[in-house]
Every structure is written in structure tokens, then in C-alpha cells.
């Protein structure tokens, strides 16, 4: 699905990354712990998180992810948005909670990648 | 492509968590611009980022030195922090001394060192209690086409 479809599914507000709306993504990861994202993400393109800091963006960038979604209506400050711009990452915020946001995306066709061995 | 030994140096402040990862981000940009194989770039970026975050959270900040030559990238990440008491224990998945406060920043699952081991081709850690910790990460430069994994 496209990043613009994610926006619709989550009724989310795009905060930066207009130019990435037509990027096609297939897998996502939901976590507040960046340690786990770094250890377990393989080729997931989307990060769903409740962690509101620049490391959420930098971690996504390190993993070559293209979109970060903040749940529970969390609003990143300007520094976080700047960080995302520099790293070419689309950022959106949704009022859904983590479980619901992940469930909606899964139902819409995104998957989570492989099981942890 | 030939790269004749490039060096980069970064000072990483220990008192500003918002900047943790900035140096690793800059290195990733450089590696990408050199046109290195994406898997090579990813391996070094992740391992270095873990080391940089550790240096800020546990080591009180320090320095990063990067050397890039034809066949490998070497990152030396050193701090003068408290050091690691039991390195074997620290290398185990899930072992962490991170505080609740550090976990609220998104780190402290005890996965960083094992992950650095996984993504580097060579990992050398020297640590002494009360003196500091230095982590040397080596990633071999794989030419496109001979990608593994
Ligand atoms: N530079 C350092 N200085 C002092 N202690 C360190 C340093 N790096 C690691 N350690 C010690 O080793 C432990 C394990 O490190 P590791 O990176 O594996 O996990 P973590 O940083 O606690 O959590 P995570 O990396 O999953 O966010 C740390 O909790 C800390 O006690
Ligand atoms: Mg760590």
C-alpha cells in the first residue's frame, strides 16, 4: 500500500513527507523500544511508535525505513520534524492507540515481516 | 571504485541525549555518498548507532573515529565513562543496567552489544572500570554483486 493509503486508514495527519506519499510499502513494525527495532527489524518500511523523540526518527533512518507514525495523538516538535526531513522520512500522527493502529494497518494489507527465530 | 583511506572524527556530547545518533547519521550519509553496497552501509550504520547510543547513555559521551579504506570501514568509539564490569554478561541478550528513565527514551533492552556483534564483521571491545570503554567495529566492504545474507 502507499503511504497516502496509510494516512487514510489511520485517519492520520501528515506532518512532513508530502513527496513520499506515493511510495509503496509492504511491512511495518510497532514498538516504543528502539532497542527492539534495531535488533529485530529486517526490511520493514514503516515504524508505528509512541516514543516521541528524535531517536525514533534516527532509528527508523538507520533501518532504512521511510515512514514513522506517532500514535495516541502524539505531536512531534519542530526539531523532530526537521530531523525527519533531513532523513527523508514521512511523519504522521494518529489519535488511534498502538494496538488499534497496528490492527488497522494489518487489516489493510501491511504485514509484520518474518517471525523471530 | 577506489577509496584511498578517508578519516572522519566526531565529538559526541554526553549531556545532550537529543543529539545521540547525529554522528552515526552523518557517517551513514558519507557511506551512501561513496556509493558503497547498501548492505555494507546498513551494517556499519546500525552497529555504529548502537555504539554511539551506548556511549551517550552509559559512557558519558566521547569520540568517534572513522577510517574507510578500499576493503573495510573501521569505527572506533571511545569514552572515559564508568567502564563495563563484566563484559561476558554485558554481551548477553537482555542484560542491561539501564534505568527506568533511560528506558523511557526508547533504549535499555540489553540488545545493543549482541546487535553490534551481529552486524559487524569484527567487534573488539576494551573496557576498564573507572577508565572507560572503547569499541572497535569493523565492517568489510563488499563489492556489489557479492552480497551475502
Ligand atoms: N560505553 C559503555 N560504558 C559503560 N557501560 C556500557 C557501555 N556500553 C555498554 N555498557 C553496559 O553494557 C550493558 C549492555 O549494553 P547493551 O548495548 O547490550 O544494552 P543496553 O544499552 O542496556 O540496551 P539497548 O542497547 O538494548 O538499548 C549496558 O546496560 C551497560 O551496563
Ligand atoms: Mg545499548
Amino acid at each position: 500500500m502507499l503511504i497516502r493509503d496509510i494516512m487514510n486508514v489511520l485517519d492520520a495527519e501528515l506532518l512532513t513527507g508530502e513527496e513520499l506519499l506515493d511510495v509503496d510499502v509492504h511491512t511495518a513494525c510497532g514498538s516504543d523500544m528502539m532497542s527492539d527495532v534495531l535488533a529485530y527489524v529486517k526490511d520493514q518500511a514503516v515504524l508505528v511508535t509512541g516514543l516521541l523523540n528524535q531517536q525514533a526518527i534516527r532509528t527508523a533512518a538507520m533501518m532504512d525505513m521511510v515512514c514513522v507514525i506517532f500514535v495516541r495523538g502524539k505531536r512531534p516538535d519542530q526539531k523532530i520534524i526537521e530531523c525527519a526531513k533531513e532523513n527523508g522520512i514521512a511523519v504522521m500522527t494518529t489519535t488511534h492507540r498502538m494496538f488499534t493502529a497496528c490492527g488497522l494497518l494489518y487489516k489493510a494489507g501491511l504485514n509484520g515481516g518474518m517471525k523471530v527465530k | 571504485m577506489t577509496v584511498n583511506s578517508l578519516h572522519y572524527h566526531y565529538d559526541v556530547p554526553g549531556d545532550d541525549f537529543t543529539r545521540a545518533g547525529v554522528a552515526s547519521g552523518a557517517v551513514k550519509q558519507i557511506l551512501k555518498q561513496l556509493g558503497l553496497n547498501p548492505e555494507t552501509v546498513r551494517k556499519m550504520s546500525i552497529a555504529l548507532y548502537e555504539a554511539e547510543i551506548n556511549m551517550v547513555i552509559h559512557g558519558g559521551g566521547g569520540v568517534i573515529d572513522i577510517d574507510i579504506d578500499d576493503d573495510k570501514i573501521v569505527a572506533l568509539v571511545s569514552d572515559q565513562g564508568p567502564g563495563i564490569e563484566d563484559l561476558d554478561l554485558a554481551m548477553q541478550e537482555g542484560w542491561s543496567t539501564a534505568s527506568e528513565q533511560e528506558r523511557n527514551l526508547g533504549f535499555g533492552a540489553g540488545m545493543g552489544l549482541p546487535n553490534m556483534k551481529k552486524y559487524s564483521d569484527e567487534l573488539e571491545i576494551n573496557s576498564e572500570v573507572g577508565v572507560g570503554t572503547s569499541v572497535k567495529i569493523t565492517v568489510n566492504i563488499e563489492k556489489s554483486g557479492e552480497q551475502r545474507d
Side-chain angles (χ1 to χ4, degrees):
Chain A
M1 72 198 280
L2 306 180
I3 290 184
R4 73 169 71 246
D5 300 327
I6 294 181
M7 256 177 84
N8 293 332
V9 167
L10 296 181
D11 202 7
E13 182 186 341
L14 185 77
L15 302 171
T16 178
E18 216 38 70
E19 70 289 357
L20 296 165
L21 285 176
D22 290 316
V23 171
D24 200 8
V25 294
H26 304 276
T27 52
C29 161
S31 181
D32 289 354
M33 275 304 264
M34 296 305 107
S35 311
D36 288 335
V37 174
L38 286 160
Y40 297 117
V41 162
K42 184 106 180 88
D43 51 15
Q44 285 87 328
V46 178
L47 174 64
V48 187
T49 189
L51 180 76
L52 197 62
N53 62 20
Q54 290 182 52
Q55 282 68 31
I57 305 292
R58 292 208 186 98
T59 303
M62 288 303 158
M63 307 314 287
D64 299 315
M65 297 170 118
V66 291
C67 177
V68 175
I69 301 159
F70 292 106
V71 293
R72 303 191 286 276
K74 296 200 174 190
R75 282 201 160 263
D77 62 26
Q78 205 49 41
K79 283 203 167 137
I80 297 176
I81 293 175
E82 281 308 316
C83 184
K85 282 200 174 118
E86 278 166 29
N87 285 288
I89 288 178
V91 174
M92 50 184 96
T93 179
T94 174
T95 50
H96 287 296
R97 294 178 185 195
M98 175 68 98
F99 182 81
T100 312
C102 292
L104 287 169
L105 290 177
Y106 191 86
K107 204 164 79 177
L110 280 194
N111 69 55
M114 275 185 300
K115 277 186 182 175
V116 174
K117 337 179 247 329
Chain B
M1 185 209 56
T2 307
V3 183
N4 280 314
S5 198
L6 296 167
H7 310 275
Y8 299 91
H9 176 87
Y10 301 88
D11 291 305
V12 179
D15 55 0
D16 183 5
F17 184 74
T18 66
R19 293 189 50 79
V22 169
S24 305
V27 171
K28 178 166 186 167
Q29 253 359 69
I30 291 170
L31 299 181
K32 266 193 187 167
Q33 274 159 19
L34 287 172
L36 299 181
N37 174 324
E39 192 56 26
T40 304
V41 175
R42 185 179 165 100
K43 283 166 67 179
M44 180 45 95
S45 303
I46 297 173
L48 180 60
Y49 183 64
E50 292 274 19
E52 182 180 358
I53 298 279
N54 274 0
M55 182 161 79
V56 175
I57 288 184
H58 311 295
V63 294
I64 298 178
D65 284 285
I66 308 287
D67 279 295
I68 308 170
D69 61 33
D70 277 344
D71 58 350
K72 64 180 186 304
I73 313 158
V74 178
L76 192 62
V77 182
S78 354
D79 64 61
Q80 300 184 325
I84 303 174
E85 215 169 282
D86 185 339
L87 193 54
D88 289 337
L89 202 57
M91 288 304 299
Q92 284 178 24
E93 275 187 19
W95 196 86
S96 174
T97 59
S99 63
E100 183 65 34
Q101 202 188 339
E102 285 154 352
R103 270 192 288 276
N104 287 339
L105 296 170
F107 297 90
M111 299 301 295
L113 287 170
N115 210 30
M116 279 152 67
K117 180 103 195 150
K118 175 173 148 199
Y119 282 108
S120 53
D121 289 307
E122 234 179 277
L123 181 68
E124 194 184 310
I125 302 173
N126 286 296
S127 189
E128 202 179 320
V129 173
V131 178
T133 302
S134 78
V135 176
K136 189 177 161 195
I137 301 161
T138 304
V139 170
N140 299 329
I141 296 178
E142 312 225 1
K143 305 285 181 273
S144 295
E146 43 177 282
Q147 218 165 315
R148 295 170 315 166
D149 199 50

